[in-house]
DNA sequence: TTAATCACG
DNA sequence: ACGTACGTGATTAAC
């Protein structure tokens, strides 16, 4: 039965590991919990990943084992189990029982032996086995069908030992691990081995002789007199050590593979143990909390035809869609709730009701929804222009805490103490198994969401008001959602022919380059595979590997650029990568996204995703269309006005982030620079290098530009050194000089970090928040990252606030001026419009005017614009 | 599904 | 000494 997977856990070893890996946590009664906690985390992770059908946790039984009759001092001199750990074993056993996992221990035997015996039994039937332990000795059990997972550093970080991995690591077969232990011994188990023989020597000897027995048969051929002497003197001890290190695979266990069938946890019990031990994070995170608590009956009625008497002045409304891509998704039905009565109208029937459509368009009828942008977009597709949307659950939750990435009602509900909703995954399944359930179930799911919105509205609104974020939510994000919805629905026209022709050119060039590369390499290989490319460059051609990744050599562009002088293949590869990217992502990728009915691309803006307040763009991403390199920039020729007579009009903020920094830091020098409309990178170069404006050369300006970027990102000398390819010391000098020239900036950076430490969050101009709990972490990396974020988020986030406000003002102004111009795209600091030629003159006036006055800073905002017959021509 | 790479601001 | 620049999304290879 190949679908079966048997999971065997070494209970003692894992408990020890967890105990020493984690700090001594306690619950409110002072009981230590770290070992149980670590074990649970590990268990959750493994179960998630492996989906075992059979499980067993093996424990050591007592002090004496059969090994003690071989060697009295086996495991001698061991430290006594700390009492802080001993007290946790009863809880651990209780927890394992609650999980429904079989526990087993056997007099005179150790956990290893139970695991070894069961894994060999499974072997005979060819079943997949996964063994988990903190003890490397168990790697001797690895076979083609048995993988041994050994915990690394922490407890959830795992190294997987297959026979191949053992070979790679030690150059030995799993069974030779026993011989290795026999020779080198094991201090923790008090196995003596051969004194003076360590891992290195043991491996060397075994590679030559295969086993301890063969080694002693061929002692004469061992080089090194000293070594030979030691081996001779300790022959018996070596052989005994090998016996001790051998895991018994034929122990008289009274448990069979059938006995350890796993049939799922009793979550009530598991949760009650978690509560007893105060595992707060686990309690919060778990899906089961919702499942457990959402069994409440929800009253609802399925209506095939809407009766207008059920449409109230104030209702929550939910359009249940089958896919998050709402521009094309099927509408499964509509749920309505007034807090008392809930209704479900299957399919698209509701939109066939005149009463319902009128109700949707009536501004005085208030609607509360989960995602107003999607709701409006789907309604618009059905010819209805919805109005009166006064609450958007997703946006409210996002403003409250952008880091939660809670995009579904169940997750948001859980966060705010409302549990009566199931997740979409629980209803529809995921991956290939995803499907629409029967109508009753679907109706219950959708109406539960509608009811959830109703209940969550007051909770969220209260919280947003308390945090002075209500205005940000209600007057910025909510109106913006409508504007984005319109932009998405309008879409941008793409000239297919332009892309197709570029694609042909690229294909030809790519084929040529591919041929050249293969010729230079002397063999054909997949250039797109970093793994294969690494072998060619760093092994076959012998180029020096500059950087490594987790899995091998890095072949990233910055590495290759450093090798450009070493071999002519490098330049070809860089070229190939560049063109390949253009072709696959931007030619083929965009062509796939053009809607056949209107020849347009309709991206979706994710308005509740980024932690800083920016938008993101998906299906496709129109915020990363090439511009920096001319060849790529030509892609923009394909983005054209929807009416051939019209033009594309683009406007962008100049240096918005540094202007925001000037405003927030109130640094006199920086403010003055912007007030005098100076080139900010040149100004920075002047101050950092102590030179006059006319002495700044291109290199100095380039360095200054990198420093300015660094400042915005939350400076570090290492980061700057990487970007400028200079030493860390040199980078540190630049930073120091910068901060001396702009002392207000330094003060501001320090304050940001301080604020984050005191309040736990940083804020933007419009009071958007980002929580940074890790700013007090004792982990250097986590803390440093939080510190850089504390410096960067107010800057990046405030810039996002500004352009969002500008978009609202702009939409309003276009409406007021009665213009046909359409706002189409937003790319973080720029807005792209399409306009009839007769409106250009007015746009040239109002676009800069509106954008520059979106939010008043203590430095001027500057907007630059251009227009032309395609996006490419707006330069 | 994850890691590597590279496109943008 | 630690090991990083901030924020995103799409494609590809290789499990």
């Amino acid at each position: 039965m190949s679908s079966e997977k048997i999971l065997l856990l070494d209970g003692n070893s894992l408990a020890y590991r967890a105990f020493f890996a984690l700090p001594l946590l306690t619950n409110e009664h002072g009981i230590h919990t770290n070992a149980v906690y670590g074990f649970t985390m590990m268990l959750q992770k493994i179960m998630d990943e492996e989906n075992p059908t059979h499980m067993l946790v093996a424990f050591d039984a007592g002090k004496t084992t059969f090994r003690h009759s071989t060697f009295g001092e086996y495991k001698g001199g061991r430290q006594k189990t700390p009492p802080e750990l001993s007290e946790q074993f009863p809880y651990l056993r209780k927890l394992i029982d609650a999980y429904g996992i079989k526990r087993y221990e056997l007099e005179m035997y150790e956990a290893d032996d139970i695991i070894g015996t069961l894994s060999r039994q499974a072997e005979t039937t060819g079943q997949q086995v996964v063994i988990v332990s903190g003890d490397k000795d168990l790697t001797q059990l690895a076979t083609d069908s048995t993988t041994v997972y050994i915990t690394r550093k922490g407890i959830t970080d795992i190294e997987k030992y297959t026979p191949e991995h053992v070979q790679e690591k030690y150059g030995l077969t799993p069974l030779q691990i026993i011989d290795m232990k026999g020779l080198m011994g094991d201090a923790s188990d008090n196995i003596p081995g051969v004194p003076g023989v360590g891992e290195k020597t043991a491996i060397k000897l075994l590679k030559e002789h295969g086993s301890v027995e063969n080694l002693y048969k061929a002692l004469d051929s061992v080089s090194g007199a000293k070594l030979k002497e030691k081996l001779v003197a300790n022959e018996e001890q070596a052989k005994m050590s090998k016996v001790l290190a051998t895991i018994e695979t034929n122990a008289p266990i009274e448990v069979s593979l059938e006995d350890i069938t796993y049939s799922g946890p009793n979550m009530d019990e598991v949760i009650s143990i978690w509560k007893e031990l105060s595992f707060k994070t686990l309690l919060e995170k778990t899906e089961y909390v919702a499942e457990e608590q959402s069994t409440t009956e929800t009253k609802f009625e399925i209506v095939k035809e809407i009766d207008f008497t059920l449409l109230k002045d104030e209702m929550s409304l939910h359009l249940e869609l089958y896919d998050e891509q709402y521009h094309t998704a099927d509408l499964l039905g509509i749920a309505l709730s007034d807090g008392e009565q809930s209704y479900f109208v299957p399919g698209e029937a509701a939109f066939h009701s005149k009463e319902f459509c009128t109700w949707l368009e009536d501004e005085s009828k208030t609607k509360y929804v989960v995602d107003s942008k999607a709701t409006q977009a789907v309604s618009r597709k059905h010819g209805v222009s919805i109005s009166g949307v006064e609450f958007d659950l997703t946006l409210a939750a996002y403003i409250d805490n952008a880091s939660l990435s809670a995009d579904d009602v169940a997750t948001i509900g859980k966060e705010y103490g409302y549990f009566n909703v199931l997740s979409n995954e629980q209803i529809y399944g995921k991956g290939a198994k995803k499907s629409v359930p029967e109508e009753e179930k679907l109706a219950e799911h959708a109406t539960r969401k509608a009811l959830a919105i109703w209940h969550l509205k007051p909770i969220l609104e209260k919280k947003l008001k308390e945090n002075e974020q209500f205005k940000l939510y209600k007057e910025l994000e909510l109106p913006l959602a409508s504007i984005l919805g319109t932009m998405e629905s309008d879409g941008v026209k793409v000239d297919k022919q332009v892309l197709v022709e570029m694609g042909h050119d690229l294909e030809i060039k790519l084929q040529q380059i591919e041929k050249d590369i293969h010729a230079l390499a002397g063999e054909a290989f997949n250039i797109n595979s970093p793994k294969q490319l690494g072998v060619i460059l760093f092994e076959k051609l012998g180029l020096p590997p500059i950087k490594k990744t987790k899995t091998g050599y890095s072949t990233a562009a910055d590495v290759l650029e450093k090798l450009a002088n070493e071999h002519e293949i490098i330049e070809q590869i860089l070229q190939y990568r560049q063109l390949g990217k253009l072709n696959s992502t931007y030619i083929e990728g965009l062509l796939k996204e053009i809607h056949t009915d209107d020849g347009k691309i309709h991206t979706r803006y994710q308005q509740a995703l980024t932690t800083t307040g920016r938008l993101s763009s998906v299906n496709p991403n129109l915020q990363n269309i090439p511009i920096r390199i001319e060849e790529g920039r030509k892609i923009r020729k394909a983005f054209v006005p929807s009416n051939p007579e019209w033009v594309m009009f683009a406007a962008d903020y100049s240096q918005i982030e540094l202007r925001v920094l000037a405003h927030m830091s109130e640094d006199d020098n920086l403010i003055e620079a912007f007030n005098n409309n100076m080139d900010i990178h040149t100004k920075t170069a002047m101050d950092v290098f102590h030179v006059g404006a006319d002495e700044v050369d291109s290199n100095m300006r380039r360095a200054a530009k990198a420093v300015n970027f660094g400042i915005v990102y939350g400076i570090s000398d290492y980061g700057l050194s990487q970007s400028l390819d200079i030493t860390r010391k040199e980078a540190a000098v630049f930073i120091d000089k910068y901060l001396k020239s702009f002392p207000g900036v330094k003060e501001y950076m320090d304050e940001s970090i301080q604020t984050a430490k005191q309040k736990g969050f940083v804020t933007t101009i419009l009071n958007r928040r980002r929580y940074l709990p890790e700013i007090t972490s004792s982990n250097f990396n986590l803390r440093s990252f939080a510190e850089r974020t504390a410096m960067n988020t107010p800057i990046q986030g405030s810039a996002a606030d500004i352009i969002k406000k500008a978009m609202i003002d702009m939409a309003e102004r276009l409406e007021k001026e009665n213009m046909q111009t359409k706002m189409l795209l937003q790319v973080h600091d720029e807005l792209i419009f399409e306009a009839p030629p007769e409106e250009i003159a007015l746009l040239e006036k109002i676009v800069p005017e509106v954008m520059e006055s979106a939010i008043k800073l203590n430095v001027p905002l500057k907007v630059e614009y251009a227009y032309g017959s395609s996006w490419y021509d707006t330069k």
Side-chain angles (χ1 to χ4, degrees):
Chain A
M1 294 290 279
S2 57
S3 65
E4 294 191 345
K5 184 171 260 178
I6 298 165
L7 195 55
L8 305 173
L9 298 111
D10 184 343
N12 286 74
S13 156
L14 291 170
Y16 264 89
R17 266 304 169 114
F19 180 77
F20 290 109
L22 297 174
L24 266 182
L25 312 165
T26 55
N27 73 352
E28 62 265 36
H29 307 300
I31 293 168
H32 294 94
T33 58
N34 59 338
V36 187
Y37 184 72
F39 188 93
T40 312
M41 294 297 286
M42 193 248 2
L43 191 61
Q44 294 271 112
K45 187 173 175 231
I46 296 272
M47 282 164 60
D48 270 1
E49 282 173 10
E50 305 294 335
N51 266 318
T53 53
H54 296 70
M55 279 193 20
L56 173 109
V57 183
F59 284 98
D60 300 343
K63 279 219 152 128
T64 28
T65 69
F66 72 91
R67 289 188 177 83
H68 288 89
S69 57
T70 309
F71 182 49
E73 285 108 82
Y74 176 68
K75 290 207 169 171
R78 248 205 191 182
Q79 292 254 312
K80 215 172 144 251
T81 307
E84 293 87 355
L85 175 56
S86 303
E87 73 188 31
Q88 298 185 49
F89 276 105
Y91 292 97
L92 188 58
R93 288 195 201 97
K94 237 166 78 180
L95 190 72
I96 292 167
D97 292 346
Y99 266 103
I101 303 169
K102 180 85 182 166
R103 279 191 291 120
Y104 189 67
E105 55 187 62
L106 179 63
E107 273 313 307
M108 301 301 284
Y109 287 86
E110 294 178 64
D112 306 13
D113 305 311
I114 300 168
I115 290 173
T117 305
L118 274 169
S119 73
R120 286 295 183 263
Q121 281 180 15
E123 199 90 336
T124 58
T125 52
Q127 284 160 300
Q128 289 294 314
V129 178
V130 169
I131 293 170
V132 192
S133 175
D135 184 351
K136 284 207 176 109
D137 287 3
L138 276 82
T139 54
Q140 64 180 265
L141 297 172
T143 66
D144 287 341
S145 57
T146 300
T147 311
V148 183
Y149 291 8
I150 302 296
T151 58
R152 263 194 290 227
K153 286 181 225 161
I155 177 105
T156 50
D157 188 10
I158 271 162
E159 187 168 7
K160 302 180 177 180
Y161 286 84
T162 55
E164 292 75 36
H165 187 63
V166 174
Q167 189 71 43
E168 242 171 64
K169 213 161 156 164
Y170 299 106
L172 302 175
T173 66
L175 287 174
Q176 285 177 307
I177 295 288
I178 309 174
D179 296 89
M180 181 173 94
K181 284 272 140 138
L183 290 173
M184 64 184 272
D186 183 336
S188 70
D189 287 346
N190 203 30
I191 298 177
V194 177
V197 172
E199 186 174 306
K200 289 263 163 62
T201 319
I203 291 173
K204 190 178 135 261
L205 290 169
L206 289 169
K207 276 189 178 165
E208 283 163 28
H209 303 280
S211 70
V212 171
E213 291 74 17
N214 288 344
L215 167 66
Y216 277 101
K217 276 178 204 154
L219 255 188
D220 290 343
S221 67
V222 172
S223 55
K226 267 262 167 71
L227 177 59
K228 207 182 290 180
E229 205 176 287
K230 279 186 270 185
L231 287 170
V232 172
N234 295 288
E235 180 167 356
E236 281 314 306
Q237 194 166 301
K239 289 184 174 166
M240 178 195 77
S241 294
K242 181 175 171 180
V243 171
L244 287 174
T246 307
I247 291 173
E248 175 61 59
T249 55
N250 214 357
I253 55 170
E254 291 153 335
V255 62
S256 71
L257 288 173
E258 272 162 57
D259 297 336
I260 65 168
T261 308
Y262 175 66
S263 51
N266 180 338
M267 271 329 279
D268 288 347
E269 275 182 44
V270 170
I271 285 170
S272 97
I273 297 170
W274 285 357
K275 281 182 182 157
E276 193 178 348
L277 299 176
S278 321
F279 290 173
K280 296 214 180 74
T281 349
L282 278 168
L283 284 167
E284 276 166 20
K285 270 188 198 157
T286 184
E287 290 281 323
Y288 294 104
V289 177
E291 215 167 36
E292 178 200 40
Q293 308 209 10
S294 68
T295 46
T296 327
E297 281 277 323
T298 306
K299 273 197 303 182
F300 64 91
E301 200 181 312
I302 297 178
V303 285
K304 302 282 175 184
E305 218 167 293
I306 289 196
D307 172 357
F308 67 92
T309 56
L310 63 79
L311 294 168
K312 309 283 165 49
D313 290 351
E314 195 186 3
M315 287 193 109
S316 56
L317 160 74
H318 177 62
L319 275 52
E320 183 71 16
L321 304 174
Y322 190 51
D323 194 284
E324 54 185 25
Q325 171 54 302
Y326 48 77
H327 291 305
T328 50
D330 286 333
L331 175 61
L332 298 179
I334 288 180
L336 289 160
S337 178
D338 60 9
E340 301 279 323
Q341 303 288 324
S342 302
Y343 309 95
F344 181 73
V345 192
E348 310 196 332
F351 281 109
H352 301 147
S353 152
K354 188 108 190 288
E355 280 93 354
F356 179 66
C357 294
T358 311
W359 181 82
L360 283 179
E361 291 186 331
D362 186 344
E363 200 186 340
S364 70
K365 310 291 182 192
T366 322
K367 293 104 190 164
Y368 309 145
V369 303
V370 182
D371 177 347
S372 59
K373 182 155 62 67
T375 309
Q376 291 177 40
V378 174
S379 302
R380 196 179 294 113
K381 219 170 64 176
H382 287 87
V384 177
S385 164
I386 187 170
S387 82
V389 174
E390 294 289 325
F391 179 74
D392 182 320
L393 179 63
T394 312
L395 286 178
Y398 172 68
I399 293 303
D400 181 50
N401 189 345
S403 304
L404 291 176
S405 55
D407 56 349
D408 105 331
V409 184
T411 322
I412 297 174
K414 223 181 288 173
E415 186 58 32
Y416 299 95
Y418 184 90
F419 300 100
N420 200 24
V421 208
L422 296 176
S423 69
N424 284 332
E425 204 180 299
Q426 281 170 295
I427 298 298
Y428 300 108
K430 68 170 173 181
K433 285 189 222 144
K434 190 176 168 185
S435 67
V436 183
E438 43 134 350
E439 192 171 279
E440 189 80 10
K441 198 171 170 189
L442 182 65
E444 183 177 44
H445 182 52
T447 48
R448 276 180 172 173
K449 285 188 189 173
L451 199 58
I453 301 168
W454 189 272
H455 282 110
L456 288 166
K457 177 176 179 278
I459 297 172
L460 272 152
E461 287 188 343
K462 179 165 172 268
K463 185 147 184 225
L464 292 176
K465 282 175 184 160
E466 280 169 7
N467 291 341
E468 295 176 333
Q469 292 186 297
F470 189 70
K471 201 171 162 200
L472 168 67
Y473 150 74
K474 193 71 186 276
E475 293 175 27
L476 190 87
E477 297 295 351
L478 196 57
L480 181 67
S482 304
I483 293 165
L484 291 172
T486 311
M487 290 163 63
E488 291 176 5
S489 298
D490 283 346
V492 53
K493 174 86 179 170
V494 173
D495 186 338
K496 204 172 156 180
Q497 207 46 46
V498 173
L499 293 179
V500 171
E501 278 166 24
M502 281 185 73
H504 284 314
D505 281 0
L506 285 172
E507 299 271 4
I508 293 164
K509 283 187 188 158
L510 279 166
Q511 273 175 24
Q512 184 56 47
I513 299 171
E514 184 181 12
K515 243 173 69 187
D516 293 349
I517 291 174
H518 288 168
L520 285 167
E523 66 181 280
F525 67 101
N526 186 347
I527 306 166
N528 283 321
S529 160
K531 198 174 160 190
Q532 293 181 35
L533 180 61
V535 172
I536 296 285
L537 294 182
F538 305 115
E539 287 174 20
K540 185 162 182 189
L541 299 178
L543 296 170
I546 292 176
K547 209 165 66 179
K548 275 197 286 188
T549 65
K550 255 189 231 173
T551 51
Y553 312 110
S554 169
T555 67
D558 62 325
V559 172
L560 296 188
E561 274 157 21
K562 293 195 175 86
L563 297 170
N565 293 327
E566 306 268 336
H567 200 290
E568 54 177 322
I569 197 172
I570 299 293
E571 200 187 327
Q572 300 286 321
I573 290 166
L574 287 166
Q575 181 73 5
Y576 182 87
R577 284 244 179 99
Q578 214 173 76
L579 300 183
K581 178 86 176 177
L582 288 181
N583 197 36
S584 59
T585 306
Y586 297 103
I587 302 289
E588 291 171 0
L590 287 177
L591 281 170
K592 270 186 250 166
E593 298 285 352
I594 300 174
H595 287 221
T596 43
D597 50 351
D598 59 4
K600 289 176 168 185
I601 286 182
H602 302 265
T603 187
R604 265 168 48 238
Y605 290 101
Q606 303 268 51
Q607 199 187 344
L609 185 143
T610 71
T611 46
T612 54
R614 276 191 177 181
L615 301 175
S616 92
S617 156
V618 291
N619 296 123
N621 181 355
L622 294 186
Q623 291 181 320
N624 70 347
I625 303 301
I627 187 165
R628 292 173 191 168
I629 293 163
E630 177 56 26
E631 261 167 315
R633 189 175 203 158
K634 292 204 161 67
I635 299 278
R636 295 178 174 225
K637 285 182 193 272
F639 289 80
V640 294
S642 58
N643 180 330
E645 311 287 316
W646 288 23
V647 296
M648 302 298 278
F649 187 104
D652 70 289
Y653 283 109
S654 161
Q655 302 298 350
I656 189 168
E657 292 188 333
L658 287 170
R659 284 169 199 266
V660 165
L661 176 62
H663 171 83
M664 299 185 76
S665 69
E666 298 179 312
D667 180 275
D668 295 334
N669 194 15
L670 201 52
I671 290 176
E672 200 195 317
F674 282 122
N675 279 335
N676 294 332
N677 199 17
M678 293 178 82
D679 176 317
I680 195 62
H681 301 317
T682 304
K683 160 72 178 163
T684 305
M686 288 163 63
D687 289 0
V688 169
F689 297 109
H690 302 297
V691 293
D694 43 358
E695 293 168 274
V696 175
D697 63 27
S698 63
N699 257 333
M700 290 155 87
R701 188 174 181 282
R702 189 179 62 92
K705 191 172 171 180
V707 172
N708 280 328
F709 267 99
I711 292 294
V712 169
Y713 292 156
I715 196 87
S716 81
D717 50 7
Y718 184 86
L720 183 62
S721 75
Q722 287 298 298
S723 120
L724 283 176
D725 204 8
I726 56 177
T727 68
R728 241 167 106 151
K729 273 216 169 118
E730 290 164 330
V733 171
F734 282 178
I735 293 168
D736 193 49
K737 287 198 172 153
Y738 178 94
L739 294 175
K740 285 218 164 68
S741 307
F742 300 94
V745 172
K746 167 142 182 50
E747 220 173 288
Y748 165 76
M749 296 293 176
D750 294 343
E751 269 169 32
S752 289
I753 294 172
Q754 276 313 311
T755 314
K757 278 191 179 144
Q758 280 161 19
K759 297 189 177 169
F761 59 87
V762 288
T763 54
T764 67
I765 288 182
L766 295 186
N767 215 21
R768 194 184 298 279
R769 277 186 185 189
R770 176 158 181 188
Y771 291 93
L772 296 168
E774 284 165 345
I775 197 116
T776 55
S777 168
S778 57
N779 178 320
F780 177 88
N781 282 331
L782 292 179
R783 191 177 62 247
S784 302
F785 182 64
E787 287 173 358
R788 292 197 296 273
T789 318
M791 299 186 261
N792 171 266
T793 296
I795 300 172
Q796 195 184 114
S798 297
D801 291 349
I802 292 171
I803 194 163
K804 282 178 166 178
K805 173 70 167 33
M807 290 170 80
I808 293 172
D809 294 348
M810 203 58 231
E812 203 172 284
R813 186 69 178 268
L814 289 174
E815 169 104 35
K816 192 179 135 208
E817 303 275 354
N818 223 342
M819 294 171 78
Q820 292 172 272
T821 296
K822 281 180 172 150
M823 186 154 56
L824 298 179
L825 301 170
Q826 188 253 43
V827 191
H828 309 307
D829 65 355
E830 66 175 321
L831 295 174
I832 292 110
F833 305 85
E834 59 174 18
E838 62 272 20
E839 290 183 3
I840 293 174
L842 187 52
L843 281 179
E844 290 187 279
K845 176 173 170 286
I846 66 171
V847 171
E849 186 182 305
V850 169
M851 287 174 74
E852 286 173 0
S853 59
I855 290 180
K856 173 115 186 60
L857 304 185
N858 56 19
V859 289
L861 284 171
K862 189 174 159 195
V863 168
E864 290 165 344
Y865 64 86
Y867 58 89
S869 55
S870 76
W871 193 3
Y872 177 87
D873 300 297
T874 62
K875 59 172 183 181

